[in-house]
Amino acid sequence: MTPVPHDGKLSGCEVLLVDDEQTIVLALRDSLKDAGATVVTASSGDQALNVLAAKHYDVVISDVRMPGLSGMDLLRKLKQAAEYTEVILMTAYANIEHAVAAMKIGAYDYVTKPFPNEKMVRVVENAWTTARLRTEVRDLRCGRAYDADLGFLVGKSDAWVKVLDRVRMVAPTDSTVLVIGASGTGKELVARALHVTSNRRDGPFIKVHCASLPPTLMEAELFGHTKGAFTGAGQEMKGRFELANRGTLLLDEVDEIPLEVQVKLLRVIQERVVERVGSGQSIPIDVRLVASSKGSLEALVAAGKFRQDLMYRLTVVQLPLPSLAERKDDVPLLIDHFLSKVGEQSGRHCPGFARPALDLLLAYDYPGNVRELEHIVESACALSDGKTAIGPELLPDGVRERGKSREIFKVGFAARPLSDVVEDFERSYLSHALREFKGSRQDLARVLGISRKSLWEKLKRHKLAGSESEEP
Ligand SMILES: Nc1ncnc2c1ncn2[C@@H]1O[C@H](COP(=O)(O)OP(=O)(O)OP(=O)(O)O)[C@@H](O)[C@H]1O
Ligand SMILES: [Mg+2]
């Protein structure tokens, strides 16, 4: 058999290879050694247990059918005694029930014989990565500092630091997390942060948007389908759960998921197996779930739109995100972050904001949260000449108006009847409006949200210019 080229990917990895068939053992041992692993062999399950009692191995590869202790028994014992060893089973008698059972007990993979040795080397490489990450997480839980880089989650405000702490705390666990936040608060970014700082970071991060599809397609999207399972199912397809195997699956806007699909989702979460639409075959999955929703799921449960049992499964850990208005301190940092992001993406220098524009940006409330701020920065940069600092004229009307209305409402207390103050305010506001507004009276009335007649009456009452001449 041709040896696998030595790329040293397994250097440092200790493998125990268990099989009563010597030909397989020898060929595989050589391939693994070529890849840099240290390999010890055993010809039976019982012998393997003795070897394992003396020393820790990162990965154990074992045949299933052997005289004496079977590969499954060895797996069971190993998972009790050496939780951090990854076990790969191999068999010439592939059987789906066995495969499911093995995965449930904790096997890393189940490989059917015969296989090219290169394939097994790759499986061992992945298993070893998982083994190392799991040990890292164990160390972390034991208190060893873990300096996960969450730098891409910009913000230093108290409210945001609480979010970061929570992310650091729950990421290494496999708990299901529900990220709750209004539109644009960073739900998807936080879900990604949970993935990249977890022990699954080398696995896939897959997202499924629960609001965009009708129930039948949603099911096929999540669980996959067989060829011809429904009209349009031209070929067999893996679902998002399968694609996310050994990684993280984000159920985005889970509050929108149709009730019909909720029942099936619940079963998958409970049993950790999926069945592709049109197939009765159970496929084991190893997925960490993160869900996102605009609000808490309790209200939906009360309204009969969400299953309570599913809510309990999804809300093992809740991670509420603050609105940007609740973390105004972060606006300057976010502006800088988006300025450099735009600069990098467009390859064009963006001069930044002049003080008056910055003041308006700091005063604004951002109903669309971080996403809105990002768009404001992007569009201002796109409109700027690339040289002069950006002024208020390049900000959206809403931001400028909000700034103006803030100035207008700057009033003190003068111990006067409210009706007088309101009258004074109306007169001063209308006189400003007359001076500033460049359109017709009819347009001004529309902007103020009153009829033309009512505007005319007010102007007359306040003795403001133009009232006599423009009687409606
Ligand atoms: N703390 C943050 N630091 C840097 N960028 C952020 C932060 N929060 C959000 N963003 C950016 O803001 C945008 C919106 O974030 P994201 O898509 O994660 O929000 P969301 O809550 O999922 O929004 P929606 O409800 O609209 O789907 C993204 O471009 C994201 O990169
Ligand atoms: Mg989103």
Side-chain angles (χ1 to χ4, degrees), residues 156-419:
K156 281 190 180 158
S157 62
D158 290 350
W160 194 247
V161 167
K162 271 190 201 147
V163 170
L164 297 179
D165 286 346
R166 205 95 202 265
V167 168
R168 280 198 195 92
M169 206 168 72
V170 298
T173 72
D174 247 355
S175 305
T176 300
V177 181
L178 178 67
V179 185
I180 305 173
S183 172
T185 44
K187 297 184 289 294
E188 185 173 338
L189 205 63
V190 165
R192 283 181 191 277
L194 286 168
H195 174 71
V196 299
T197 54
S198 77
N199 54 344
R200 293 170 175 271
R201 76 190 99 168
D202 289 333
F205 175 85
I206 303 284
K207 176 179 127 172
V208 56
H209 193 237
C210 302
S212 53
L213 294 168
T216 16
L217 289 184
M218 182 82 231
E219 241 178 78
E221 185 77 14
L222 283 171
F223 314 126
H225 61 78
T226 55
K227 187 174 173 184
F230 50 85
T231 326
Q235 50 186 331
E236 188 165 43
M237 235 180 66
K238 281 186 180 181
R240 300 284 164 135
F241 267 97
E242 275 184 76
L243 292 174
N245 204 32
R246 300 198 181 284
T248 305
L249 178 65
L250 167 62
L251 299 170
D252 202 17
E253 300 197 16
V254 78
D255 43 338
E256 300 279 349
I257 204 160
L259 273 166
E260 299 97 297
V261 185
Q262 289 180 24
V263 193
K264 300 200 169 132
L265 182 59
L266 179 71
R267 233 189 56 220
V268 172
I269 297 176
Q270 278 169 340
E271 295 170 17
R272 295 277 156 186
V273 288
V274 286
E275 273 176 25
R276 293 186 186 165
V277 176
S279 149
Q281 199 182 4
S282 300
I283 304 166
I285 43 134
D286 167 16
V287 166
R288 197 260 178 95
L289 277 182
V290 176
S292 84
S293 110
K294 288 184 289 298
S296 96
L297 298 176
E298 269 104 3
L300 290 177
V301 169
K305 290 188 181 149
F306 208 90
R307 292 180 65 102
Q308 192 174 40
D309 39 16
L310 181 60
M311 177 189 74
Y312 287 138
R313 289 276 170 177
L314 293 176
T315 53
V316 179
V317 176
Q318 302 206 30
L319 215 164
L321 300 187
S323 66
L324 187 51
E326 288 169 292
R327 54 183 193 110
K328 274 291 192 58
D329 296 354
D330 290 334
V331 171
L333 276 179
L334 284 162
I335 291 177
D336 285 347
H337 169 70
F338 293 132
L339 281 172
S340 30
K341 190 171 161 186
V342 171
E344 269 168 35
Q345 281 169 357
S346 65
R348 187 170 165 255
H349 174 67
C350 191
F353 293 93
R355 190 71 236 177
L358 210 51
D359 285 342
L360 287 173
L361 287 173
L362 294 176
Y364 187 58
D365 279 335
Y366 302 95
N369 296 297
V370 186
R371 186 192 299 289
E372 184 178 8
L373 174 58
E374 185 174 12
H375 286 165
I376 291 172
V377 175
E378 270 173 13
S379 76
C381 286
L383 295 172
S384 91
D385 61 8
K387 290 182 218 107
T388 14
I390 299 168
E393 67 285 356
L394 295 188
L395 296 179
D397 291 349
V399 178
R400 286 207 310 269
E401 292 313 314
R402 184 83 183 106
K404 277 190 194 162
S405 47
R406 290 211 158 209
E407 277 165 30
I408 286 166
F409 287 110
K410 266 185 202 159
V411 288
F413 175 62
R416 293 175 55 211
L418 184 61
S419 54

Side-chain angles (χ1 to χ4, degrees), residues 28-42:
L28 192 52
R29 185 191 62 186
D30 289 348
S31 297
L32 289 165
K33 279 188 169 174
D34 282 338
T38 309
V39 189
V40 169
T41 61

